[in-house]
Amino acid sequence: MSGPGGAGPALEALRRHLPAYLFVAPALLVLCVFVILPMLTALVLSFASWNLVGPVKWVGLANYALLFQDPTFARSLLNSLVYTAGSATLGIAGALLLALALEPALPGIGGFRAILFLPALMSEVIVAMVFQWLYNADFGLLNYALQLAHLPKVPWLTSPTFAMLAVVLMGAWVGAAYNAPILLSGLQSINPTFYEAARLDGATPWQEFRFVTFPLLRPFTLYVLVMALIGSFQVFGRIFVLTGGGPVDSTLVAVQYIYRVAFSFNQMGYAAALSVAVFAILIVLTALQLRFFRREDAA
Amino acid sequence: MGLPRRVLGLTALALLAAACKPSRADGGKNVLTVWLAADYAGSPIFADLNREFEEAHEGVRIKLLGVPWEDMPTKVKTAIIGGKPPDIAHQHPFALGAQGFAEPLDDLWRAWGKAGEFLPGALEDATWRGRFYGLPLDINCTVLVYNRDLYREAGLPEPGPDYSFLALQADLGRLTAPARQRYGIGLTTGGWHTYAWIRANGGDLLREDEKGVRATFTDPRTVAAVRYLADLGHKHHFGPTPTSKARDYDDATTLFAVGRVAVAYTGPWDFASIRKNAPDLRFGVARFPAGLDGVRRGSVQGGGGLFVPKGAAHRELAFEWMKMATSDKYARRLAREEGRFPVKPHQYKDPWFKQDPAVRTFIGALPSARPFKLDAYPQANQAFQDAVKEAFYGADPAVSLARAQKVAQLAIDAVEGGR
Amino acid sequence: MTVRKAWPLYLLLVGCTALAVIPFLWMLVTAFKTGPEVFRWPPALLPETWTLDNFGKAWGTGNFPRLFLNSLIVASAATLLNVVLDSLAGFAFARLRFPGRDALFAVVLGTMMLPAVVTLIPLFLIVKQLPAFGPGGWLNTYAGIVAPGAASAFGIFLFRQYFQTIPREIDEAAQIDGASLWRVYWQLVLPLARPAVVTVAIFTFTLSWNDFLWPLVVATDADMYTVQVGLSYFTTQHSIDWPLLMAGAVIVTLPVLVLYFALQKAFIGGVTLGGVKE
């Protein structure tokens, strides 16, 4: 049934794989119309200058040239990286710890599993509102606890260094709770026969973890790492409500800056270029992550 | 098992509901869309106003939507570009007009001929470079609120007509008692609030002349005012270091309401909530103190106005609605029921305004207040705010403001040059 | 591990629970307080007088009940759509081989990487042009609020990872018996992936429930707003009334908690799998 010319094999392939394409089609359709199309628009816009009221003016690469000289953007990128590194690391480490602690089928474990997920359920704004008062230098619970332990009070939100720490801890708190169930279901998906085999071979708990648990958890740790990187980079509301990007831009993250450029400064073209820059950075970082995992797989 | 199936059934129902559109047959009527700040929109005043308007205008229906004030610009801008702007929105008309998002209304004002009825400061909020971009809805300004009991405890006389920056600073020293968790003043790093002090000291941020618009951040009086304020916190520790979140002025008012600071600077919109949250607190209201040179000037004006977003469908009808919203009847109700003060001098003749001493003081302060014009230039505004925040955290205001002025001037020139 | 030997674990869990729960507890306790109590030093851990006033006031403000309903409809629809669409796609990416598979998956991942700020206006324009609902397109409709999030990369990614842990022998065995791909997916593999289903369901519901900016921008009727916009109203109106604000926040968080606690039994019930059952 080959048709004329080269269309034949392609059509044949399409027909053979049709079920697979049908499986991905609905989701892909939604993503195309509502995500990819706007993204392409933003990409096109990044080559233009548009203040939302006037006409769209094409400026070629001018926006991109500008962003390399924009000290605020550079600062915000650095902040995003610091925030991501800090909250993702602490969050995932915490999540792994929690997942391991929650895995054994002990009495009452169900209750713990249920409660430990709570931080992930509150909206960003509410989390930030609550943490605002926990972090309050004069009346907050955190400084009260420190005082009880005879430690000095910490200027959580009024010092540039501590503000970033405050924001990272808040992010890790949410991140640990959010990722724990994923890692837990990963742990639960490991066939117990592997453990039995390891135990028969005389493996210690650490060796069990290193040679059975961790490798078999890989699909889930990969997911969690990639999502944490991408997700932390996009965090905006939580930080904005807590610190507004301050003090003195110490917690100004890239997305907040982009929002400011787009809707406060009315510079859609430049904002689009900034977004494309963030996009490019995330692609590179994610690709590095995936390659690292693949190399580990091959090893 | 039961639960998942039930859950599935419910979500299927939800999908079905989502597929339906709540239909509202307008039956061929003209629909006037009005977006007001959230806290105004919920008031029965506007329900009544809409009813009266619909009765007066045959075939017109009003659709009122409340939008949180801070989010109004984003939502309006998106709607304008999306081709579905409301007919009336609520912010500072001069700012939206300067940025190009508001329709000029000069012809409608001229035909109406009533511009002279408005407070000059109010008109300033609705005009930019000589053109009308909206109609002012209400007006307010900042004043000092002080805790009368704390002043008495410290043996200090209450702020009088010759209160000055230096007198205030001296008093704050006596009012601050960190051991007892008490400070003199609740500080905020907001640009608008800081501008009040700049004005009080005789400085300003913008100067408009034939040559164009110039940023005047480095005016010595401006710098001195910012330095004074920042030092109160950073050097003398008369007030807790403010955080930098968007609404940090709420923190200052909260601290005042619970008696942790003796002085705060806010406006009449907070009088009611302070009374509600701290009914036992006896507070007094004073005009902004005289500047460092001993001359008393004004503070910053706030409030808001109504404007017609670019591309709106019913410009003239919108103007009629806006006229009704500032008419005597509704201005009166806005003042009494919502604490929003009128924009026409003759509306203040009502004896109600003389009853509350706090309100009386505030009204006395109104004529000398001026709007925060930097709102018209967002990037300049951001540079200013950043400089102020830096000063609060220990930087030299002269240096920060000089740097900010360069950025601001570039931004202003870019906007003005593009006209 | 016996219970007796596990006491260090219990200790650790109790410590972590305290960390996880204290902010929420503080929020809850503040909602029962009255005004000045909130700023006492040392902090008052429990209210002197417990009051339910704040909850009543919060619920009665504006059209909170209607906003609740809107959020429920929107979040439920988004959840169901995501579970179905994402698992279908995840299944294909995990277990089927077809040309362009890896490239398409990379594109899917890429959709998460552009900050949503600059796509707000283009998305608004697109939603406005969609057919079937009249001149405003899908603006101000439930469909318009739900559709952009009806499928998501994170769900597809999670399902794919999870499906990868289920051995292929199951599929192959079923297909030898003549089952179609659809049956393999629907009746065989998906039920085995119950934890993934519940995880995506909970995450999607939470994300949708907590979304603020898009519902704000897309709605032009006050009774099409969702509950987060209502909370924002609330926050600006009662900015220094912390007990009232916290009461509002508690009310807004409640449905997500209810859903979560209802589903997590199914979630922790999904124990060991990914293997050929013994």
Side-chain angles (χ1 to χ4, degrees):
Chain A
M1 7 300 171
S2 21
L11 242 74
E12 178 60 39
L14 183 65
R15 204 169 55 83
R16 189 153 37 97
H17 295 291
L18 191 62
Y21 289 123
L22 284 180
F23 267 75
V24 296
L28 232 39
L29 182 67
V30 169
L31 287 178
C32 267
V33 172
F34 295 108
V35 185
I36 298 181
L37 203 48
M39 280 172 70
L40 290 174
T41 313
L43 179 63
V44 168
L45 215 50
S46 71
F47 296 109
S49 166
W50 185 39
N51 66 352
L52 300 182
V53 270
V56 177
K57 283 188 289 207
W58 301 111
V59 292
L61 292 172
N63 287 331
Y64 290 97
L66 197 61
L67 72 86
F68 279 108
Q69 303 168 349
D70 187 343
T72 317
F73 182 55
R75 183 71 205 268
S76 73
L77 268 185
L78 184 66
N79 288 339
S80 288
L81 282 168
V82 170
Y83 172 75
T84 301
S87 73
T89 322
L90 285 176
I92 295 179
L96 191 56
L97 189 67
L98 277 178
L100 288 170
L102 291 170
E103 203 244 333
L106 294 168
I109 205 82
F112 283 111
R113 286 178 185 168
I115 295 183
L116 281 165
F117 187 58
L118 283 184
L121 294 175
M122 290 166 35
S123 84
E124 288 207 316
V125 171
I126 295 180
V127 169
M129 270 167 46
V130 172
F131 268 82
Q132 239 174 65
W133 281 103
L134 291 179
Y135 279 135
N136 188 301
D138 298 305
F139 310 106
L141 268 188
L142 209 47
N143 275 352
Y144 180 54
L146 287 174
Q147 201 175 58
L148 286 180
H150 299 292
L151 293 167
K153 284 199 206 183
V154 173
W156 291 106
L157 297 177
T158 54
S159 142
T161 357
F162 282 106
M164 180 50 96
L165 179 64
V167 158
V168 164
L169 287 178
M170 182 174 65
W173 181 79
V174 175
Y178 190 85
N179 288 308
I182 297 176
L183 293 178
L184 178 61
S185 62
L187 287 175
Q188 290 174 331
S189 75
I190 298 176
N191 196 315
T193 50
F194 288 113
Y195 289 116
E196 285 161 24
R199 231 163 281 150
L200 281 176
D201 280 348
T204 65
W206 169 249
Q207 285 173 326
E208 254 183 53
F209 178 76
R210 202 169 151 230
F211 295 112
V212 179
T213 314
F214 198 65
L216 286 176
L217 203 51
R218 189 179 300 271
F220 298 88
T221 41
L222 174 65
Y223 174 82
V224 154
L225 275 167
V226 170
M227 295 304 295
L229 172 75
I230 298 177
S232 301
F233 232 86
Q234 314 273 15
V235 165
F236 157 45
R238 199 183 295 161
I239 301 181
F240 183 69
V241 173
L242 190 69
T243 61
V248 291
D249 285 353
S250 58
T251 56
L252 178 73
V253 289
V255 177
Q256 184 189 341
Y257 183 58
I258 294 175
Y259 191 88
R260 184 191 285 179
V261 170
F263 285 106
S264 282
F265 298 171
N266 304 325
Q267 294 175 336
M268 264 308 166
Y270 187 49
L274 293 174
S275 305
V276 170
V278 169
F279 179 74
I281 291 175
L282 284 176
I283 288 192
V284 167
L285 288 176
T286 308
L288 284 175
Q289 268 185 326
L290 291 174
R291 176 157 316 164
F292 176 72
F293 263 79
R294 212 167 296 147
R295 203 178 303 138
E296 290 255 313
D297 261 334
Chain B
M1 52 195 101
L3 181 61
R5 195 165 301 164
R6 232 175 294 146
V7 168
L8 216 60
L10 281 171
T11 45
L13 255 167
L15 256 187
L16 222 60
C20 308
K21 174 184 167 148
S23 64
R24 191 161 303 175
D26 288 329
K29 285 189 166 192
N30 256 338
V31 178
L32 193 72
T33 324
V34 181
W35 290 359
L36 284 182
D39 30 6
Y40 291 64
S43 161
I45 300 176
F46 289 100
D48 295 340
L49 193 155
N50 289 340
R51 209 184 354 238
E52 188 182 322
F53 194 84
E54 284 175 1
E55 282 166 19
H57 292 85
E58 182 78 38
V60 171
R61 198 171 74 74
I62 314 271
K63 213 162 79 146
L64 177 64
L65 180 69
V67 178
W69 176 268
E70 292 87 13
D71 300 307
M72 182 76 76
T74 305
K75 193 161 160 64
V76 169
K77 289 174 192 176
T78 308
I80 290 176
I81 300 185
K84 285 207 127 250
D87 295 300
I88 296 177
H90 183 198
Q91 272 282 288
H92 292 295
F94 80 87
L96 276 298
Q99 293 170 36
F101 293 107
E103 294 274 359
L105 303 173
D106 300 295
D107 52 335
L108 298 173
W109 274 90
R110 229 184 342 248
W112 190 30
K114 298 271 178 70
E117 279 186 16
F118 286 79
L119 280 167
L123 282 182
E124 261 194 80
D125 192 61
T127 55
W128 183 251
R129 307 282 250 144
R131 305 192 72 183
F132 280 95
Y133 285 105
L135 204 120
L137 179 63
D138 71 316
I139 194 175
N140 57 50
C141 71
T142 50
V143 288
L144 288 183
V145 293
Y146 59 92
N147 188 321
R148 307 177 71 184
D149 293 322
L150 289 180
Y151 262 74
R152 197 167 39 91
E153 239 179 70
L156 294 166
E158 296 188 11
D162 49 359
Y163 213 47
S164 67
F165 274 28
L166 295 170
L168 174 64
Q169 184 169 317
D171 284 356
L172 289 178
R174 305 264 294 274
L175 291 161
T176 302
R180 274 185 295 159
Q181 293 291 314
R182 204 176 286 157
Y183 291 91
I185 186 167
L187 293 165
T188 160
T189 59
W192 184 81
H193 285 77
T194 305
Y195 182 60
W197 297 88
I198 293 178
R199 278 231 72 238
N201 199 37
D204 213 324
L205 294 171
L206 287 176
R207 188 182 56 233
E208 215 182 311
D209 55 29
E210 340 64 59
K211 279 182 280 174
V213 181
R214 308 221 61 73
T216 57
F217 298 2
T218 50
D219 179 321
R221 294 185 207 249
T222 306
V223 176
V226 174
R227 188 189 302 278
Y228 168 81
L229 212 54
D231 281 353
L232 284 181
H234 170 74
K235 191 158 118 191
H236 304 297
H237 305 292
F238 291 158
T241 317
T243 65
S244 54
K245 64 183 202 200
R247 291 180 64 115
D248 64 352
Y249 43 84
D250 282 340
D251 284 351
T253 311
T254 313
L255 287 174
F256 180 78
V258 297
R260 295 259 171 252
V261 299
V263 178
Y265 42 108
T266 178
W269 58 89
D270 265 341
F271 294 171
S273 62
I274 295 177
R275 287 203 183 99
K276 181 173 86 107
N277 284 289
D280 297 330
L281 190 133
R282 301 190 318 128
F283 70 93
V285 172
R287 293 174 56 170
F288 252 64
L292 289 166
D293 60 357
V295 176
R296 156 163 280 159
R297 296 176 185 84
S299 79
V300 66
Q301 176 192 303
L306 304 166
F307 66 98
V308 178
K310 241 194 167 46
H314 305 105
R315 202 168 147 266
E316 290 81 12
L317 204 57
F319 197 67
E320 293 302 309
W321 193 92
M322 302 197 308
K323 283 199 277 192
M324 193 179 273
T326 50
S327 63
D328 293 353
K329 173 158 108 177
Y330 292 103
R332 231 162 140 254
R333 288 186 65 184
L334 264 178
R336 285 157 198 265
E337 295 171 40
E338 301 290 328
R340 305 286 175 182
F341 289 77
V343 287
K344 302 184 190 170
H346 76 255
Q347 287 166 340
Y348 284 91
K349 297 224 174 74
D350 189 323
W352 179 84
F353 289 105
K354 311 229 184 350
Q355 291 171 352
D356 183 344
V359 171
R360 268 207 312 270
T361 311
F362 156 74
I363 293 176
L366 259 184
S368 54
R370 280 294 170 272
F372 184 59
K373 293 287 198 175
L374 218 46
D375 266 336
Y377 301 110
Q379 271 174 289
N381 196 357
Q382 184 71 48
F384 171 63
Q385 313 243 20
D386 286 345
V388 168
K389 289 185 172 16
E390 275 174 34
F392 268 100
Y393 287 102
D396 180 355
V399 171
S400 300
L401 284 169
R403 194 175 28 212
Q405 171 158 311
K406 285 209 199 77
V407 174
Q409 193 60 58
L410 279 172
I412 294 172
D413 291 339
V415 170
E416 293 298 320
R419 276 180 199 286
Chain C
M1 188 183 337
T2 63
V3 177
R4 201 143 17 102
K5 286 215 297 208
W7 71 263
L9 188 67
Y10 275 112
L11 202 62
L12 174 69
L13 284 176
V14 167
C16 291
T17 308
L19 271 181
V21 148
I22 281 178
F24 185 74
L25 276 184
W26 186 91
M27 181 172 115
L28 192 61
V29 157
T30 306
F32 286 106
K33 288 186 181 163
T34 44
E37 268 190 297
V38 184
F39 305 100
R40 207 92 58 73
W41 183 270
L45 290 174
L46 289 176
E48 277 180 357
T49 40
W50 294 75
T51 169
L52 281 178
D53 285 349
N54 295 313
F55 290 100
K57 232 183 295 176
W59 182 254
T61 312
N63 56 347
F64 236 108
R66 173 63 200 246
L67 301 185
F68 239 76
L69 180 66
N70 290 342
S71 281
L72 268 170
I73 292 178
V74 163
S76 311
T79 304
L80 185 63
L81 283 168
N82 260 281
V83 165
V84 173
L85 265 51
D86 294 349
S87 61
L88 280 172
F91 178 79
F93 283 122
R95 309 170 87 65
L96 304 177
R97 289 212 163 72
F98 52 94
R101 180 187 71 169
D102 290 338
L104 271 178
F105 186 64
V107 167
V108 166
L109 277 189
T111 61
M112 294 189 287
M113 300 189 201
L114 193 79
V117 177
V118 287
T119 50
L120 189 67
I121 289 187
L123 186 60
F124 186 85
L125 285 166
I126 290 174
V127 168
K128 178 173 163 253
Q129 321 266 21
L130 290 173
F133 278 125
W138 289 18
L139 289 180
N140 203 42
T141 63
Y142 291 125
I145 302 180
V146 173
S152 65
F154 98 86
I156 298 176
F157 192 10
L158 185 63
F159 274 117
R160 172 188 183 262
Q161 300 305 94
Y162 203 84
F163 286 141
Q164 276 180 346
T165 66
I166 300 177
R168 305 266 163 111
E169 295 87 53
I170 298 184
D171 300 30
E172 289 160 14
Q175 284 182 305
I176 289 177
D177 281 349
S180 73
L181 211 51
W182 167 260
R183 284 192 66 194
V184 172
Y185 157 78
W186 184 249
Q187 292 184 329
L188 221 48
V189 176
L190 191 60
L192 286 177
R194 197 143 43 111
V197 170
V198 174
T199 308
V200 170
I202 292 177
F203 282 10
T204 307
F205 191 89
T206 307
L207 212 69
S208 175
W209 187 265
N210 293 334
D211 194 16
F212 167 77
L213 193 58
W214 178 246
L216 171 76
V217 161
V218 140
T220 54
D221 269 334
D223 47 7
M224 281 306 286
Y225 273 152
T226 56
V227 88
Q228 295 296 332
V229 182
L231 186 66
S232 174
Y233 247 59
F234 205 60
T235 313
T236 36
Q237 248 177 310
H238 304 278
S239 48
I240 67 173
D241 192 345
W242 278 90
L244 188 56
L245 286 184
M246 291 293 112
V250 168
I251 293 179
V252 166
T253 312
L254 231 38
V256 185
L257 290 179
V258 166
L259 172 83
Y260 168 67
F261 279 111
L263 281 188
Q264 57 89 11
K265 281 229 166 100
F267 173 55
I268 54 178
V271 192
T272 351
L273 55 87
V276 182
K277 289 280 191 105
E278 295 296 296

PDB file of all heavy atoms in Angstrom, chain B residues 1 15 18 86 100 145 168 176 184 205 248 292 339 388:
ATOM      1  N   MET B   1     -15.454   0.641  44.774  1.00  0.00           N
ATOM      2  CA  MET B   1     -15.754   1.184  46.091  1.00  0.00           C
ATOM      3  C   MET B   1     -16.451   2.529  45.997  1.00  0.00           C
ATOM      4  O   MET B   1     -16.401   3.175  44.968  1.00  0.00           O
ATOM      5  CB  MET B   1     -14.470   1.310  46.896  1.00  0.00           C
ATOM      6  CG  MET B   1     -13.390   2.058  46.141  1.00  0.00           C
ATOM      7  SD  MET B   1     -11.806   1.798  46.931  1.00  0.00           S
ATOM      8  CE  MET B   1     -11.117   0.573  45.854  1.00  0.00           C
ATOM      9  N   LEU B  15     -17.659  19.137  35.434  1.00  0.00           N
ATOM     10  CA  LEU B  15     -17.294  19.364  34.032  1.00  0.00           C
ATOM     11  C   LEU B  15     -18.479  19.889  33.251  1.00  0.00           C
ATOM     12  O   LEU B  15     -18.369  20.809  32.450  1.00  0.00           O
ATOM     13  CB  LEU B  15     -16.840  18.052  33.397  1.00  0.00           C
ATOM     14  CG  LEU B  15     -15.341  17.901  33.196  1.00  0.00           C
ATOM     15  CD1 LEU B  15     -15.063  16.637  32.417  1.00  0.00           C
ATOM     16  CD2 LEU B  15     -14.803  19.096  32.446  1.00  0.00           C
ATOM     17  N   ALA B  18     -19.102  23.349  34.116  1.00  0.00           N
ATOM     18  CA  ALA B  18     -18.090  24.224  33.537  1.00  0.00           C
ATOM     19  C   ALA B  18     -18.370  24.487  32.077  1.00  0.00           C
ATOM     20  O   ALA B  18     -18.009  25.523  31.533  1.00  0.00           O
ATOM     21  CB  ALA B  18     -16.706  23.587  33.695  1.00  0.00           C
ATOM     22  N   PRO B  86     -13.514  47.992  30.297  1.00  0.00           N
ATOM     23  CA  PRO B  86     -14.731  48.481  30.930  1.00  0.00           C
ATOM     24  C   PRO B  86     -14.946  49.928  30.513  1.00  0.00           C
ATOM     25  O   PRO B  86     -14.041  50.560  29.943  1.00  0.00           O
ATOM     26  CB  PRO B  86     -14.403  48.396  32.422  1.00  0.00           C
ATOM     27  CG  PRO B  86     -12.932  48.548  32.474  1.00  0.00           C
ATOM     28  CD  PRO B  86     -12.387  47.918  31.222  1.00  0.00           C
ATOM     29  N   GLY B 100      -1.062  56.579  28.836  1.00  0.00           N
ATOM     30  CA  GLY B 100      -1.770  56.343  27.595  1.00  0.00           C
ATOM     31  C   GLY B 100      -2.940  55.390  27.681  1.00  0.00           C
ATOM     32  O   GLY B 100      -3.469  54.965  26.664  1.00  0.00           O
ATOM     33  N   VAL B 145      -1.110  60.450  63.313  1.00  0.00           N
ATOM     34  CA  VAL B 145      -1.975  60.001  64.404  1.00  0.00           C
ATOM     35  C   VAL B 145      -1.063  59.673  65.581  1.00  0.00           C
ATOM     36  O   VAL B 145       0.016  59.114  65.396  1.00  0.00           O
ATOM     37  CB  VAL B 145      -2.820  58.765  64.020  1.00  0.00           C
ATOM     38  CG1 VAL B 145      -3.823  59.124  62.966  1.00  0.00           C
ATOM     39  CG2 VAL B 145      -1.972  57.617  63.583  1.00  0.00           C
ATOM     40  N   LEU B 168       9.233  66.821  66.797  1.00  0.00           N
ATOM     41  CA  LEU B 168       8.774  65.425  66.730  1.00  0.00           C
ATOM     42  C   LEU B 168       9.915  64.478  67.077  1.00  0.00           C
ATOM     43  O   LEU B 168       9.751  63.545  67.864  1.00  0.00           O
ATOM     44  CB  LEU B 168       8.240  65.124  65.329  1.00  0.00           C
ATOM     45  CG  LEU B 168       7.855  63.671  65.061  1.00  0.00           C
ATOM     46  CD1 LEU B 168       6.702  63.240  65.944  1.00  0.00           C
ATOM     47  CD2 LEU B 168       7.481  63.472  63.603  1.00  0.00           C
ATOM     48  N   THR B 176      10.245  56.443  73.057  1.00  0.00           N
ATOM     49  CA  THR B 176      10.762  55.120  72.706  1.00  0.00           C
ATOM     50  C   THR B 176      11.298  54.420  73.938  1.00  0.00           C
ATOM     51  O   THR B 176      12.105  54.978  74.666  1.00  0.00           O
ATOM     52  CB  THR B 176      11.895  55.256  71.666  1.00  0.00           C
ATOM     53  OG1 THR B 176      11.370  55.935  70.531  1.00  0.00           O
ATOM     54  CG2 THR B 176      12.389  53.896  71.240  1.00  0.00           C
ATOM     55  N   GLY B 184       8.696  54.902  69.259  1.00  0.00           N
ATOM     56  CA  GLY B 184       8.075  56.197  69.046  1.00  0.00           C
ATOM     57  C   GLY B 184       7.183  56.218  67.828  1.00  0.00           C
ATOM     58  O   GLY B 184       6.041  56.653  67.886  1.00  0.00           O
ATOM     59  N   LEU B 205       9.563  66.098  43.985  1.00  0.00           N
ATOM     60  CA  LEU B 205      10.205  65.061  43.190  1.00  0.00           C
ATOM     61  C   LEU B 205      10.213  65.370  41.705  1.00  0.00           C
ATOM     62  O   LEU B 205      11.039  64.867  40.959  1.00  0.00           O
ATOM     63  CB  LEU B 205       9.489  63.716  43.416  1.00  0.00           C
ATOM     64  CG  LEU B 205       9.631  63.167  44.817  1.00  0.00           C
ATOM     65  CD1 LEU B 205       8.714  61.974  45.010  1.00  0.00           C
ATOM     66  CD2 LEU B 205      11.063  62.745  45.083  1.00  0.00           C
ATOM     67  N   ASP B 248       3.638  47.656  53.583  1.00  0.00           N
ATOM     68  CA  ASP B 248       4.217  47.698  54.928  1.00  0.00           C
ATOM     69  C   ASP B 248       3.607  48.805  55.773  1.00  0.00           C
ATOM     70  O   ASP B 248       3.797  48.833  56.982  1.00  0.00           O
ATOM     71  CB  ASP B 248       5.747  47.791  54.880  1.00  0.00           C
ATOM     72  CG  ASP B 248       6.235  49.085  54.251  1.00  0.00           C
ATOM     73  OD1 ASP B 248       5.408  49.850  53.720  1.00  0.00           O
ATOM     74  OD2 ASP B 248       7.449  49.330  54.296  1.00  0.00           O
ATOM     75  N   LEU B 292      12.160  71.162  58.414  1.00  0.00           N
ATOM     76  CA  LEU B 292      13.374  71.441  59.168  1.00  0.00           C
ATOM     77  C   LEU B 292      13.628  72.943  59.279  1.00  0.00           C
ATOM     78  O   LEU B 292      14.335  73.385  60.179  1.00  0.00           O
ATOM     79  CB  LEU B 292      14.577  70.747  58.501  1.00  0.00           C
ATOM     80  CG  LEU B 292      14.566  69.227  58.642  1.00  0.00           C
ATOM     81  CD1 LEU B 292      15.555  68.575  57.695  1.00  0.00           C
ATOM     82  CD2 LEU B 292      14.893  68.831  60.067  1.00  0.00           C
ATOM     83  N   GLY B 339     -16.129  56.726  54.869  1.00  0.00           N
ATOM     84  CA  GLY B 339     -14.941  57.491  55.244  1.00  0.00           C
ATOM     85  C   GLY B 339     -14.150  57.968  54.043  1.00  0.00           C
ATOM     86  O   GLY B 339     -12.939  58.148  54.120  1.00  0.00           O
ATOM     87  N   VAL B 388      14.611  55.208  48.420  1.00  0.00           N
ATOM     88  CA  VAL B 388      14.094  55.409  49.775  1.00  0.00           C
ATOM     89  C   VAL B 388      14.353  54.172  50.622  1.00  0.00           C
ATOM     90  O   VAL B 388      14.810  54.256  51.762  1.00  0.00           O
ATOM     91  CB  VAL B 388      12.585  55.731  49.738  1.00  0.00           C
ATOM     92  CG1 VAL B 388      11.985  55.644  51.124  1.00  0.00           C
ATOM     93  CG2 VAL B 388      12.357  57.101  49.145  1.00  0.00           C
TER      94      VAL B 388
END
